[in-house]
Amino acid sequence: MDTFADWLRGRSDDELRSLLSARPELINPVPAELGALASRATTPAAVSRAVDRLDRLTLAVLEALLVLPQPVAYGALKRALGLGELRTAVDRLRSHGLVWGTDRTLRTAPGVRQLFPHPAGLGPPAAEAFAGHPAERLTEILRDLDVPPPNGFSDPDRLVALLADRLADPGPLIEAAGPEARAALEMLAWGPPVGRIDGARRPVRIASAETPIERLLARGLLAATDDRTVTLPREVALHLRGGRLFRDLTATPPALDGPVRPAALVDRTAGGQAFTAVRLVEDLLELWGIDPPPVLRSGGLAVRELRATAGLLDTDERTAALLIELAYAAGLLARTGGVDGEWLPTKAYDLWRLQDTADRWVELATAWLATDRVPGLAGERDERDRLINALADESVRASASEVRRTTLTALATTSAGPAPDAVREYLAWQEPRRGARLRDRLVGWTLHEAELVGLTGLGALASHARVLLRGGDVAPALNPLLPEPVDHVLLQADLTAVAPGPLVTSLARELSLMADVESTGGATVYRFTPASVRRALDVGRPAAELIDLLTRHSTTPVPQPLTYLIEDVARRHGHLRVGTASSYVRCDDPATLEEIVADRRAAGLRLYRLAPTVLVSRLARGDLLEALRMMGFAPVAESPEGGVVVTRPDAMRAEASAHHSVSAPSAPDASVIAAAVRALRAGDEAARHSAQRARRRSEAPAGEPPRSPSMATVEELRYAVSRGGRLWIGYLDQQGQASSRIVEPVRVEGGFLTAYDATRDSIQRFALHRITGVAQVDPPTPH
């Protein structure tokens, strides 16, 4: 096989499917035939993406093939690398279309060499490094090396060949240059083989050389590329390396060592953290639904808002930033439009909180895996020394999602809990071309966030996380690990209630109305206060209903102090009625109004008596309500009709942002790849058929296009595929206009006809429902 395209055509369907599975970008869209696939697979962008997926060993094999004279035999490749078996690496390179040929004639695919200017960290051979030098300079170097140049007219190619032969054994020349010069060479030996100096092309002879660099230039141990660049010839570097292509090449990745803990303990730890993550996200969105923070003009969330939210959630700012970004990535949080926008829960949040805890966690974990936002950047500064806020666009990194998935995939290979540095070293071996400072930081953030989200426990990957990575049903694995919701609390005489576990949703909401959370953990402690009880009364809960709720859900009797508290607040609750005059205060007991007027703290309320039982104020109703409560009273708002106004703030919602909706990446569908291979084969067969016949362009017959029943048309086309020959078909374009075509059918599949169109002199695909009919043109052609 003379070319890469010919080799590609000779691959089996299974081998083509393997290629397209490894490089799915090659079929977006599907090329017309295999020659076009070969061209696309060898473009710089396609080759770079394919090489980025290689591990360190496979990448070393590819670079070794670039260093060795091609074609390369498999045995010579093994000897060059000094390793045992390379079969897996070579087969992987062939399956990815980066290497082609048999084991006796291995070649790199077109476009690979351009991606590696210095394969294995080696410079060009001496024959290439000195190819651009003038004959006069080459003659001077040869004479200094005691190599007599040829007599007569000096051919530069002949001079370069003589110098390359002399550098085949550079050992004596390196020793003669001195230890300082050797140290300079050692700096370039393992790559990159390029250095920067001033006056690189200045003429230097051994007799006049003063510096180590001049001694190297005079002996041809460094080649001047331009006025300020020198290159180390390949022969010199290999001598300094002792003939090795790579310094520390290993055939296996570093071990992911770490403490191994019982799988049940890991799962329980991760399950508990998964529940905590779901609860904290719900608490966050409940808080912001009532009191939403503003959107900064530059986008994102202000530092003071992040700090305040962390305090309300009883967590640190780093964790709060993760929870906020998690809700945003899952589509549960969005910003409202306009200049003075706010961060609000979306309508999707109301549906999300109705789901089971496991399903809610899956949505959060899937969004975290897929998002390109990096919560760990919140609070850091960008390259312009500007602060990066949570929810800001500056926290987007394109590689974030892929690094998260590869990090968790690495953890899935072990039952241990490896240290972050061990994971970084493992990934540096698996994907050496993608290694960088950002990748290392992303790995650290991923491990920390995976622990907080509940994907890992004690550093090891949990069983439900492994199911999530495989795309399986997570609920059966996660549900047994989640705390069982309880429907009871333990009421205590110190006006507290202890929830021994996560409460069922209905009880949690009711309890949060009448009590404040005092502490969280394995058990949640709620404290009843006059303000919290009044909060429940403000939303329309009567005292009897509150006491009845506590009686039904408490495993202990309702303490008498708590009953007194509820009844006392309820007795005073609504005793005062507040309206607008701008606003007014109404009370059936004139003595109470006298007490208010006489109180010096009421001086700023600008109250005056409208009637024995009515006071009027110029303050707004809400301000007057708050001021009277601070004075120790328990007023309620009154409507114009005299009814009680429920004063609980309405929970606001924002529309979800379509731009930030995410979905987990998925592997290419096998049926799509199989269909692409069939289409490529059909297109290639049609192109080959066309080339063999080398026919000239045919004119369509005169007259109306043929018409025939649909079933008969399809049968005739299938028959033509098997017998050969040409057909006259009528075809409707997108505007419904019929035209005549002379075609040679190749394949009928998936609702399309693939055929050579003689009237267009090209391979075409025709939708079967647009073919009006068929008619014979040529007699059958025997195969």
Side-chain angles (χ1 to χ4, degrees):
M1 297 183 183
D2 296 331
T3 66
F4 175 72
D6 291 336
W7 174 82
L8 202 59
R9 290 188 179 96
R11 306 296 279 172
S12 67
D13 285 357
D14 287 342
E15 290 167 333
L16 286 178
R17 283 192 288 269
S18 177
L19 168 65
L20 299 181
S21 297
R23 302 172 64 180
E25 64 274 6
L26 298 181
I27 54 172
N28 187 23
V30 178
E33 39 90 22
L34 288 171
L37 177 66
S39 299
R40 185 180 297 178
T42 54
T43 60
V47 172
S48 179
R49 291 190 66 176
V51 172
D52 285 346
R53 299 184 179 106
L54 302 181
D55 59 49
R56 181 166 293 173
L57 175 63
T58 309
L59 185 63
V61 171
L62 183 63
E63 293 188 63
L65 288 171
L66 293 172
V67 171
L68 299 173
Q70 296 187 20
V72 182
Y74 177 72
L77 180 64
K78 289 175 60 177
R79 290 191 296 272
L81 289 173
L83 296 175
E85 189 60 42
L86 300 176
R87 174 60 54 197
T88 302
V90 171
D91 288 346
R92 185 181 182 190
L93 289 171
R94 261 198 292 241
S95 68
H96 285 215
L98 296 172
V99 168
W100 65 285
T102 66
D103 280 355
R104 294 184 179 181
T105 59
L106 294 173
R107 295 180 174 89
T108 55
V112 173
R113 186 171 295 278
Q114 288 74 15
L115 195 64
F116 295 90
H118 307 299
L122 293 170
E128 295 180 19
F130 290 96
H133 284 53
E136 295 80 4
R137 177 60 187 151
L138 293 172
T139 301
E140 292 177 351
I141 296 175
L142 288 173
R143 285 174 176 165
D144 280 351
L145 299 182
D146 298 328
V147 178
N151 296 325
F153 179 76
S154 298
D155 180 10
D157 293 339
R158 175 61 178 156
L159 296 175
V160 168
L162 289 174
L163 181 56
D165 290 341
R166 181 66 183 86
L167 292 177
D169 182 18
L173 299 178
I174 297 174
E175 294 301 323
E180 293 180 349
R182 183 185 182 94
L185 293 178
E186 294 282 1
M187 295 175 64
L188 304 177
W190 292 100
V194 178
R196 302 282 288 180
I197 63 170
D198 292 328
R201 285 184 171 173
R202 61 186 181 272
V204 181
R205 304 295 297 270
I206 291 180
S208 61
E210 297 179 354
T211 66
I213 298 299
E214 289 181 346
R215 294 197 292 271
L216 295 173
L217 289 170
R219 290 170 171 81
L221 295 173
L222 286 178
T225 305
D226 55 40
D227 290 337
R228 300 189 60 187
T229 308
V230 293
T231 301
L232 182 66
R234 183 173 297 176
E235 294 87 344
V236 180
L238 287 174
H239 175 81
L240 294 170
R241 295 182 181 189
R244 292 180 297 162
L245 292 181
F246 300 96
R247 192 198 303 258
D248 53 358
L249 181 63
T250 58
T252 56
L256 286 172
D257 294 328
V260 179
R261 296 181 173 88
L265 177 61
V266 170
D267 289 346
R268 287 198 305 272
T269 304
Q273 191 57 47
F275 175 81
T276 301
V278 172
R279 179 179 59 82
L280 288 175
V281 168
E282 184 175 5
D283 291 346
L284 164 73
L285 296 176
E286 285 292 315
L287 289 170
W288 283 15
I290 301 297
D291 186 16
V295 179
L296 292 175
R297 290 186 178 180
S298 59
L301 182 73
V303 175
R304 65 177 179 274
E305 300 291 349
L306 175 63
R307 188 177 297 117
T309 301
L312 291 172
L313 296 177
D314 193 24
T315 186
D316 58 88
E317 294 180 27
R318 186 179 180 185
T319 303
L322 170 62
L323 297 171
I324 293 167
E325 293 281 4
L326 200 58
Y328 183 63
L332 308 178
L333 176 69
R335 59 180 294 176
T336 58
V339 177
D340 299 324
E342 295 176 321
W343 293 107
L344 283 170
T346 64
K347 295 177 181 178
Y349 165 66
D350 297 309
L351 299 176
W352 175 80
R353 66 182 183 180
L354 296 177
Q355 301 178 22
D356 293 336
T357 303
D359 295 332
R360 285 189 284 171
W361 180 84
V362 169
E363 284 195 29
L364 296 178
T366 302
W368 175 77
L369 274 175
T371 184
D372 57 0
R373 304 186 61 82
V374 182
L377 287 172
E380 299 200 355
R381 295 192 173 271
D382 60 13
E383 60 276 2
R384 298 182 181 179
D385 199 35
R386 296 178 303 185
L387 185 68
I388 300 177
N389 297 95
L391 296 174
D393 293 339
E394 289 77 13
S395 64
V396 172
R397 296 294 183 271
S399 60
S401 174
E402 188 171 1
V403 171
R404 289 192 192 101
R405 189 166 287 273
T406 54
T407 301
L408 295 186
T409 301
L411 293 180
T413 63
T414 178
S415 58
D421 286 342
V423 179
R424 293 187 184 100
E425 292 176 4
Y426 179 88
L427 293 180
W429 192 95
Q430 291 288 354
E431 296 178 343
R433 281 176 54 88
R434 292 178 176 172
R437 182 173 178 269
L438 176 61
R439 201 267 296 275
D440 288 344
R441 299 191 71 194
L442 285 173
V443 169
W445 287 326
T446 296
L447 295 173
H448 174 74
E449 292 168 9
E451 194 84 19
L452 295 176
V453 174
L455 289 158
T456 60
L458 304 174
L461 195 67
S463 59
H464 56 271
R466 298 174 188 269
V467 177
L468 181 69
L469 288 176
R470 295 195 300 267
D473 186 6
V474 178
L478 181 58
N479 277 326
L481 306 174
L482 297 174
E484 190 69 27
V486 297
D487 61 353
H488 60 272
V489 294
L490 288 79
L491 296 176
Q492 303 184 114
D494 60 350
L495 300 181
T496 61
V498 178
L503 296 175
V504 294
T505 303
S506 58
L507 179 58
R509 291 187 179 279
E510 292 296 330
L511 198 58
S512 64
L513 279 176
M514 68 177 80
D516 298 319
V517 175
E518 188 170 81
S519 65
T520 59
T524 304
V525 178
Y526 295 85
R527 178 164 294 279
F528 297 91
T529 65
S532 66
V533 173
R534 185 179 64 243
R535 184 171 64 230
L537 297 173
D538 284 344
V539 299
R541 302 290 193 273
E545 182 178 324
L546 297 182
I547 296 174
D548 178 65
L549 176 72
L550 295 175
T551 302
R552 285 187 287 108
H553 291 284
S554 176
T555 57
T556 58
V558 179
Q560 196 173 47
L562 179 56
T563 303
Y564 287 164
L565 173 65
I566 296 175
E567 291 176 345
D568 182 59
V569 174
R571 184 168 49 254
R572 302 174 61 201
H573 186 264
H575 195 53
L576 299 178
R577 301 296 179 99
V578 176
T580 48
S582 296
S583 59
Y584 64 86
V585 182
R586 181 175 66 84
C587 181
D588 294 333
D589 184 7
T592 302
L593 296 185
E594 289 287 350
E595 179 183 352
I596 294 175
V597 173
D599 196 321
R600 287 181 299 176
R601 293 174 296 175
L605 303 183
R606 291 175 289 180
L607 295 168
Y608 65 93
R609 191 182 298 277
L610 187 64
T613 58
V614 180
L615 296 177
V616 176
S617 172
R618 294 181 182 179
L619 296 181
R621 184 178 66 182
D623 295 337
L624 184 57
L625 273 169
E626 187 65 24
L628 290 174
R629 285 170 179 167
M630 292 181 65
M631 293 172 61
F633 297 97
V636 295
E638 186 173 78
S639 67
E641 294 78 19
V644 176
V645 177
V646 175
T647 59
R648 182 186 181 188
D650 290 333
M652 296 172 281
R653 295 292 181 261
E655 295 296 331
S657 173
H659 176 71
H660 290 284
S661 59
V662 294
S663 58
S666 57
D669 187 80
S671 61
V672 173
I673 291 177
V677 171
R678 290 195 298 271
L680 286 167
R681 290 292 191 197
D684 207 54
E685 185 178 349
R688 179 178 56 82
H689 218 250
S690 174
Q692 287 177 346
R693 291 202 168 187
R695 67 182 58 78
R696 58 184 178 84
R697 181 168 174 166
S698 300
E699 296 296 333
E704 290 293 322
R707 294 185 178 276
S708 58
S710 299
M711 293 300 297
T713 298
V714 174
E715 290 298 326
E716 184 65 26
L717 290 173
R718 288 175 174 167
Y719 181 61
V721 170
S722 62
R723 68 180 175 85
R726 294 189 293 179
L727 292 176
W728 176 18
I729 69 170
Y731 193 67
L732 297 175
D733 60 17
Q734 292 184 351
Q735 287 73 38
Q737 299 295 323
S739 61
S740 294
R741 307 287 185 92
I742 301 299
V743 300
E744 290 188 18
V746 175
R747 190 175 299 251
V748 177
E749 192 172 56
F752 288 89
L753 164 68
T754 302
Y756 170 77
D757 186 349
T759 56
R760 302 291 192 273
D761 193 24
S762 63
I763 303 299
Q764 299 285 342
R765 296 183 74 198
F766 301 93
L768 292 179
H769 68 275
R770 291 186 178 179
I771 299 177
T772 62
V774 296
Q776 292 288 335
V777 174
D778 290 346
T781 301
H783 283 276

